[in-house]
């Protein structure tokens, strides 16, 4: 498991601002945080090198791209062995409908978030790309009615000191 990085209040403020708008300029970030632009650049660069900042992504509206129906597919793979898991995950990740793939504990091995055009497209995806694979034992489909993004991901607060 990756080791956590020690972050001070300036780092946390920078991360919060960047998560809300990754296009914010270093000059604007520096002004909001109260440091020099060069300090801001150095800190963000250090956070990238340390692997805290993993990248920048463009968020698209699936419905406006013709993929207005989203679902979560719970998948059981049997037998659950490395030689089957690797190729399965790579195939699922390569599908244009796949948004996110989670490897889980519990009765289901994977949870796959997909975006498709409609119910017919979802049925095609499940039958042709999932249940047709010999290692897939079971697929359960749950439609997503609505989703919400949550606040910035920050490390847990330090426990308060006891007197």
């Amino acid at each position: 498991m990756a080791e956590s990085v020690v972050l001070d209040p300036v780092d946390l403020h920078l991360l919060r601002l960047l998560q809300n708008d990754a296009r914010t300029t270093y000059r604007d970030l520096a002004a909001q945080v109260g440091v020099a632009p060069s300090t801001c650049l150095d800190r963000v660069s250090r956070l990238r090198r340390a692997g805290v900042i993993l990248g920048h992504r463009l968020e698209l509206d699936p419905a406006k791209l013709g993929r207005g129906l989203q679902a979560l597919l719970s998948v059981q793979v049997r037998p659950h062995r490395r030689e089957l898991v690797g190729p399965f995950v790579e195939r699922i990740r390569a599908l244009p409908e796949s948004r996110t793939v989670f490897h889980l504990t519990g009765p289901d091995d994977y949870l796959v978030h997909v975006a498709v055009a409609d119910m017919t497209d979802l049925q095609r995806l499940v039958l042709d790309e999932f249940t047709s694979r010999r290692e897939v034992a079971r697929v359960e489909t749950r439609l997503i009615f609505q989703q919400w993004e949550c606040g910035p991901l920050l490390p847990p607060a330090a426990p308060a000191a006891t007197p």
Side-chain angles (χ1 to χ4, degrees):
M1 187 167 257
E3 193 173 311
S4 64
V5 175
V6 177
L7 303 171
D8 67 17
V10 173
D11 293 329
L12 294 173
H13 197 178
L14 286 169
L15 291 171
R16 188 175 293 111
L17 292 168
L18 286 169
Q19 282 188 87
N20 289 328
D21 184 359
R23 298 177 300 167
T24 305
T25 66
Y26 288 116
R27 182 188 331 260
D28 289 342
L29 282 172
Q32 291 180 61
V33 175
V35 299
S38 60
T39 301
C40 182
L41 175 62
D42 289 344
R43 283 180 172 259
V44 171
S45 296
R46 179 181 55 79
L47 292 168
R48 279 193 183 102
R49 284 191 310 275
V52 175
I53 297 175
L54 299 176
H56 305 277
R57 291 181 177 85
L58 179 66
E59 187 175 345
L60 304 174
D61 183 340
K64 292 194 169 126
L65 296 172
R67 296 182 184 276
L69 181 65
Q70 295 185 64
L72 296 172
L73 307 179
S74 299
V75 182
Q76 270 187 357
V77 174
R78 295 291 178 257
H80 194 173
R81 292 195 317 246
R82 189 171 300 279
E83 63 269 12
L84 295 175
V85 164
F88 171 78
V89 169
E90 289 312 308
R91 174 64 188 139
I92 298 312
R93 288 184 66 212
L95 295 172
E97 298 89 354
S98 295
R99 306 299 309 130
T100 310
V101 179
F102 299 95
H103 192 188
L104 309 172
T105 63
D108 297 317
D109 300 311
Y110 295 94
L111 184 64
V112 184
H113 176 196
V114 299
V116 295
D118 53 30
M119 289 298 287
T120 302
D121 197 25
L122 179 59
Q123 182 182 26
R124 176 208 50 82
L125 179 70
V126 170
L127 293 175
D128 295 348
E129 300 295 344
F130 285 84
T131 59
S132 66
R133 297 184 63 90
R134 63 183 168 84
E135 70 271 25
V136 173
R138 184 179 61 79
V139 175
E140 283 187 20
T141 303
R142 291 172 180 84
L143 298 180
I144 298 173
F145 292 137
Q146 193 170 5
Q147 72 184 59
W148 296 267
E149 293 296 323
C150 298
L153 176 66
L154 296 174
T162 54

